[in-house]
Amino acid sequence: MWVLFLFSGSVSAQKSQQIDIQLDQWHANRALLQLPDDYQSGSKRYPLIVFLHWKSRSGTDLSKLAYDGIPYWINNGVRFQAVNPVDAKLYKFIVVCPQALEWGL
């Protein structure tokens, strides 16, 4: 299964924001999104991190994601970026943390 995320418009430099991801015409899912501080739509490419939570974090309350993992660090002010030791360049990441509505068997 492939999921396509489309981002557009201007976004302020904040810890994270809540977004809706339209799954089909009847279903949408909530997610946390963090964009690099220098993000401008269409001007630069960024690597993407998709954080998938575990069973106890499913539902409709996005605050449940903030207790551990990447969402925890984002809510505590961490910006996801790293210096590549090979080319010594700083890479900033787009981070998406979708929340599953329910957990399958």
Side-chain angles (χ1 to χ4, degrees):
M1 179 171 103
W2 292 89
V3 178
L4 175 64
F5 295 100
L6 301 174
F7 304 106
S8 62
S10 62
V11 177
S12 62
Q14 55 188 355
K15 290 182 184 177
S16 69
Q17 63 178 315
Q18 297 180 7
I19 61 170
D20 290 318
I21 301 171
Q22 196 66 37
L23 302 174
D24 59 32
Q25 71 184 78
W26 301 283
H27 301 95
N29 228 13
R30 304 284 295 159
L32 296 176
L33 169 69
Q34 182 188 64
L35 297 172
D37 55 359
D38 60 350
Y39 178 83
Q40 298 215 358
S41 188
S43 64
K44 185 177 175 184
R45 295 178 141 197
Y46 296 92
L48 174 68
I49 297 173
V50 177
F51 174 80
L52 302 175
H53 62 82
W54 28 95
K55 184 177 184 177
S56 64
R57 304 295 183 233
S58 60
T60 58
D61 181 7
L62 276 176
S63 67
K64 290 168 59 175
L65 297 182
Y67 294 112
D68 35 39
I70 289 176
Y72 171 83
W73 293 108
I74 289 173
N75 285 332
N76 284 288
V78 172
R79 305 240 20 123
F80 281 83
Q81 54 191 22
V83 175
N84 183 339
V86 175
D87 62 11
K89 291 182 183 177
L90 176 66
Y91 289 87
K92 298 179 180 185
F93 296 86
I94 293 173
V95 182
V96 180
C97 307
Q99 184 178 32
L101 296 174
E102 58 186 22
W103 197 267
L105 297 175

